Amino acid sequence: MKVYGKVALCLLAVALTGYLFLVDYPRLMTNLNGGGNEKTADSSQAADESVSQSEPQEEAAAYIDAVAQETALEEELEQLYQQCGATSVALCFEQTGAVVYDDIYPALTEWGETGTVVFTNGLLTGDNYQVATNDFRTMMDNGWSYAIGGDGTDAENAAAWQTSLEMYMANILKRTGVVPTIYCFQEGEYQSAYDEILEADGFTAIRYFAEDAEGDDGDSELQKIVGIRLTDDTQAAEVLEALEAYPGAVLLARVVSADETDEENWITLEKYLSLLEELRGSDAITLTTLDAAIEAAADEEQNALRAEIQETEDQLAAWKAQSDAD
C-alpha cells in the first residue's frame, strides 16, 4: 500500500511539472521579454514622483533650518548686547567762551548730565571772552572735566611743537590748578609721530577723528578715542549709526546762538539740546565726560564683548546674504 502511494505521488508531481512547463512557461517568457517593461516603467514613474514630492519637503526643511540658524544668531546677538550694556559717549565742547557756563552748563545740569571743555591753541580761562576761572572751577567741582588741544601741528618741527605744548600746559596748570592729561586733535591734524611726545609729557589719551584713526600706525600706550562732530544738520539716527562703528566716541559740539550760524561746523543751542534729548532716549548710550568715556573704552572685558558682537553681526549679515541668494 505504501509503495502504490509513493508511485501515485510521483506521477502527480510529474503531471504538475508538465502543466507548469506547457502553460506558465510562455507567460513567464512574455513577462521577461516584454511585459516586464511595463512594470519597470511603472516603477520608474513612481520613483520620479517620489523625487518630485521630496524636493518641496527638502526645500521646506532647508528654509526651517535657515530660519532657525538666523534666529539663533539674533538671540545670541541680543544676549551680547545686554552683557555689553550702554556705550559711554562723551559730551565735548571745543569752545571756552561765556556760552559754556551761561548756557550749556545750566542746561545739562538740569538733566543731570556733565561734559568736557576743550581749551585750544593757547586759550586760558579768564582771558578775553573766555569762561571765568571761578566759573570754570565751579564746573569742575560739579563733575565736569577739561582737556587741551590745537590745530596747525607740524610734524617736521616736532621739537618746536613740544616746547609750545609744554609752555601751554604750564600756563593752564597755573591758571586752573588741574594738569591736563588728554590732548584733542582737530580733523586731519593727528600724526602718530606725536604719540611719543604726548606720552613723555604725561598725557594718557588723545581724541582724533575717523580719518586719523584709519591712518594711525602708532604703537604707543595712549588711549585713543574718535570724535564725531555735531552740526545743525546732524540727525540722531546718524549719530547712533556712527557710534556702532566707533563705540565710546566723543560728541563734539561748538554751540552758538542763532545769530551766529554763519560759522562752519557750529550748532545752535536749541538744535544741540533737541538732538541731545533724542540721544538720551536711547538705551544704547550713556552720556558722560571725556575722561569717563576714555576709561570705559579701555575696559578689556567690554572690548572683548564688542569684538564678539562685531563677529556675530558679521556672521548674521553673511547668513542673511546667503539666504537671500538661495
Side-chain angles (χ1 to χ4, degrees), residues 207-272:
R207 183 220 66 204
Y208 52 16
F209 289 82
E211 61 268 28
D212 300 316
E214 293 171 0
D216 179 10
D217 58 356
D219 57 355
S220 71
E221 296 298 321
L222 290 170
Q223 277 295 116
K224 298 174 181 180
I225 190 167
V226 170
I228 300 171
R229 189 174 292 284
L230 306 180
T231 71
D232 252 19
D233 297 326
T234 304
Q235 302 297 318
E238 297 173 354
V239 176
L240 293 173
E241 184 178 353
L243 289 173
E244 290 182 5
Y246 303 105
V250 177
L251 301 184
L252 179 62
R254 295 178 182 176
V255 180
V256 299
S257 60
D259 58 355
E260 296 176 302
T261 54
D262 57 332
E263 296 286 349
E264 185 180 2
N265 291 331
W266 290 59
I267 184 171
T268 63
L269 180 61
E270 181 181 6
K271 171 65 178 179
Y272 179 77

Side-chain angles (χ1 to χ4, degrees), residues 6-299:
K6 291 181 180 180
V7 171
L9 288 175
C10 288
L11 290 173
L12 180 60
V14 171
L16 288 173
T17 302
Y19 172 80
L20 291 174
F21 182 79
L22 294 174
V23 177
D24 282 354
Y25 180 76
R27 184 187 305 164
L28 177 63
M29 294 304 296
T30 300
N31 288 339
L32 290 174
N33 294 330
N37 292 338
E38 181 179 349
K39 184 177 181 181
T40 302
D42 291 342
S43 300
S44 178
Q45 181 179 357
D48 291 342
E49 290 177 355
S50 176
V51 170
S52 63
Q53 290 174 359
S54 67
E55 287 178 353
Q57 294 176 353
E58 292 176 356
E59 291 177 0
Y63 175 76
I64 292 172
D65 183 59
V67 171
Q69 290 285 351
E70 186 174 319
T71 302
L73 285 172
E74 288 175 343
E75 290 176 351
E76 180 182 352
L77 198 55
E78 183 61 31
Q79 290 175 359
L80 289 171
Y81 284 146
Q82 292 176 0
Q83 290 178 49
C84 190
T87 298
S88 295
V89 178
L91 299 180
C92 208
F93 303 93
E94 203 159 75
Q95 61 195 119
T96 50
V99 66
V100 171
Y101 185 78
D102 295 340
D103 299 319
I104 300 172
Y105 172 65
L108 293 186
T109 299
E110 186 175 347
W111 284 345
E113 305 289 1
T114 55
T116 298
V117 178
V118 181
F119 292 88
T120 60
N121 297 324
L123 292 175
L124 301 171
T125 62
D127 287 352
N128 291 338
Y129 305 110
Q130 303 307 304
V131 61
T133 301
N134 287 338
D135 293 341
F136 169 79
R137 287 174 177 164
T138 297
M139 295 170 67
M140 298 301 109
D141 290 342
N142 286 283
W144 282 61
S145 68
Y146 91 100
I148 66 171
D151 53 15
T153 54
D154 182 5
E156 295 180 358
N157 195 358
W161 185 79
Q162 182 173 13
T163 299
S164 176
L165 172 64
E166 290 172 351
M167 185 179 298
Y168 186 20
M169 290 175 63
N171 288 335
I172 202 167
L173 173 60
K174 182 179 179 180
R175 188 72 61 92
T176 66
V178 183
V179 179
T181 59
I182 303 172
Y183 193 88
C184 299
F185 286 92
Q186 301 286 0
E187 290 97 329
E189 296 290 347
Y190 167 78
Q191 297 178 59
S192 56
Y194 288 100
D195 287 358
E196 185 177 349
I197 295 174
L198 291 169
E199 281 187 290
D201 285 339
F203 286 86
T204 60
I206 64 171
R207 183 220 66 204
Y208 52 16
F209 289 82
E211 61 268 28
D212 300 316
E214 293 171 0
D216 179 10
D217 58 356
D219 57 355
S220 71
E221 296 298 321
L222 290 170
Q223 277 295 116
K224 298 174 181 180
I225 190 167
V226 170
I228 300 171
R229 189 174 292 284
L230 306 180
T231 71
D232 252 19
D233 297 326
T234 304
Q235 302 297 318
E238 297 173 354
V239 176
L240 293 173
E241 184 178 353
L243 289 173
E244 290 182 5
Y246 303 105
V250 177
L251 301 184
L252 179 62
R254 295 178 182 176
V255 180
V256 299
S257 60
D259 58 355
E260 296 176 302
T261 54
D262 57 332
E263 296 286 349
E264 185 180 2
N265 291 331
W266 290 59
I267 184 171
T268 63
L269 180 61
E270 181 181 6
K271 171 65 178 179
Y272 179 77
L273 294 177
S274 175
L275 178 61
L276 203 59
E277 189 169 18
E278 286 189 68
L279 295 174
R280 292 176 76 238
S282 172
D283 295 332
I285 64 174
T286 297
L287 302 178
T288 185
T289 63
L290 182 56
D291 308 62
I294 287 174
E295 183 179 352
D299 189 312

